[in-house]
Amino acid sequence: MQFQPILDEIAATIRPHLGLEGRVADYIPALARVPAQQFGIALRTFDGQEAAAGDFATPFSIQSISKVFALTIGMRLMGDGLWERIGREPSGDPFNSLVQLEHEHGVPRNPFINAGAIAVTDRLVSHCEGKAEMLAQLSSIANETIHYNPEVAASEAATGFRNIALANFMKSFGKIDNDVATVLDVYFHHCAIEMNCLQLARATGFLCRDGAHPYLPERQVVTERQARRINALMLTCGTYDAAGEFAYDIGLPCKSGVGGGIVAVVPDQLTLCVWSPALDTTGNSLLGKKALELFVARTGLSVF
Ligand code: DON
């Protein structure tokens, strides 16, 4: 399939809608300043073909997309031991909700809501140097050096009252081993990584390659079984309380972030990243979701 004309067509269809609907995340002050009228899309196929359109080269804050990479490192370091304190069920609640944690004794529903990612980060802090390991992994799989934005990390730390509450609440149940401030510092830095659409399409490539490294095919980032499971979790939990709608409308494993990015996986075929900063009420990119709907309608690609 020739993807470049398809992505050009999607970018042209989306462009007139930029800035009309949705809202840029404003609960993190450094993100509130990002202009809403931007849209990028990029993909990389199993065999290394690339296509991209719009603002695909503009770096943005990957935010919760980092939760896929934190989970990947956690699964590699701990295998099934990672699941002792983290569930694998959709939450049906907003990504920063506290309510389930009380009923469920401090065990987060899944690794893609904030509480779950903070719990994964705690495990990483116990097993590795969490900040350095993340940049090393991302730089390897994206095939270029990846950085944090320190201003975004500081902005999150200054205003992350809900995350601070979530971490302390889990700590009160004995589910966080390390110092809360240390765990949150690593978590905020992970969220504050900056990448563009093409870098993310490349870096997630192991998820459409049965876990094989996108640039070093003889090396596994995770096992084939682990890659399948990360994809399953993305499909069921990657877009929070909109995961059902995403499965229905798009039918691909997806992971979103409040920076406006969404990555999507077509197993054995390609990885795709869309970005547009204005969000819908569930915290997912409004036009990013629209672009993914156009992509699957135009290509017929789906896991179903
Ligand atoms: O912790 C937070 O709230 C943000 N750093 C990340 C949230 C996020 O991206 C959820 N996504 N839709």
Side-chain angles (χ1 to χ4, degrees):
M1 200 172 322
Q2 286 302 313
F3 288 110
Q4 188 57 50
I6 297 174
L7 299 201
D8 287 337
E9 191 184 305
I10 292 171
T13 308
I14 295 289
R15 200 166 300 125
H17 299 274
L18 288 176
L20 297 183
E21 278 180 85
R23 285 184 54 160
V24 173
D26 54 8
Y27 74 102
I28 301 169
L31 296 186
R33 297 195 284 273
V34 177
Q37 291 176 315
Q38 304 186 79
F39 171 78
I41 183 166
L43 64 77
R44 185 165 192 263
T45 64
F46 188 87
D47 56 4
Q49 194 196 140
E50 293 184 338
D55 302 310
F56 70 88
T58 305
F60 61 89
S61 192
I62 74 168
Q63 292 295 317
S64 284
I65 298 173
S66 66
K67 293 173 169 69
V68 173
F69 302 114
L71 175 66
T72 298
I73 298 171
M75 285 174 103
R76 209 175 51 215
L77 289 175
M78 283 159 264
D80 285 346
L82 182 68
W83 301 115
E84 280 162 18
R85 291 188 191 167
I86 304 154
R88 297 186 294 261
E89 291 295 340
S91 70
D93 274 328
F95 61 83
N96 54 6
S97 171
L98 282 132
V99 292
Q100 275 166 352
L101 272 182
E102 171 102 68
H103 297 303
E104 297 175 4
H105 311 288
V107 177
R109 275 285 175 103
N110 68 66
F112 291 153
I113 49 173
N114 287 9
I118 292 167
V120 171
T121 306
D122 174 58
R123 313 278 61 231
L124 297 188
V125 169
S126 296
H127 286 82
C128 66
E129 217 287 84
K131 282 196 235 175
E133 184 67 30
M134 176 64 88
L135 290 186
Q137 162 169 293
L138 277 174
S139 301
S140 168
I141 56 181
N143 209 29
E144 63 184 289
T145 306
I146 301 299
H147 302 280
Y148 298 117
N149 180 326
E151 197 193 324
V152 174
S155 182
E156 294 214 33
T159 57
F161 306 113
R162 267 185 178 258
N163 288 323
I164 295 164
L166 287 166
N168 279 297
F169 201 44
M170 288 189 285
K171 182 95 177 165
S172 77
F173 283 104
K175 305 296 187 196
I176 295 283
D177 288 338
N178 297 285
D179 170 55
V180 164
T182 306
V183 173
L184 287 173
D185 180 56
V186 176
Y187 170 81
F188 291 139
H189 276 83
H190 288 175
C191 293
I193 288 166
E194 277 191 346
M195 294 173 76
N196 64 38
C197 290
L198 189 54
Q199 289 171 325
L200 277 165
R202 291 171 176 165
T204 47
F206 67 98
L207 293 172
C208 77
R209 289 178 175 74
D210 293 335
H213 192 290
Y215 289 91
L216 306 167
E218 68 289 353
R219 206 171 113 194
Q220 290 292 125
V221 177
V222 286
T223 65
E224 185 271 340
R225 185 164 165 261
Q226 288 171 329
R228 202 172 344 123
R229 290 178 159 180
I230 296 169
N231 279 317
L233 287 165
M234 287 171 67
L235 183 76
T236 52
C237 312
T239 49
Y240 317 107
D241 43 340
E245 286 295 317
F246 267 73
Y248 184 85
D249 291 334
I250 295 160
L252 295 174
C254 291
K255 183 74 201 83
S256 59
V258 293
I262 309 175
V263 294
V265 183
V266 186
D268 300 326
Q269 299 207 47
L270 58 87
T271 41
L272 172 71
C273 178
V274 292
W275 170 60
S276 194
L279 309 178
D280 64 19
T281 52
T282 62
N284 296 299
S285 171
L286 197 142
L287 291 174
K289 178 170 187 275
K290 188 91 214 140
L292 290 173
E293 287 173 29
L294 292 170
F295 181 79
V296 295
R298 185 71 171 67
T299 60
L301 293 170
S302 163
V303 294
F304 298 110

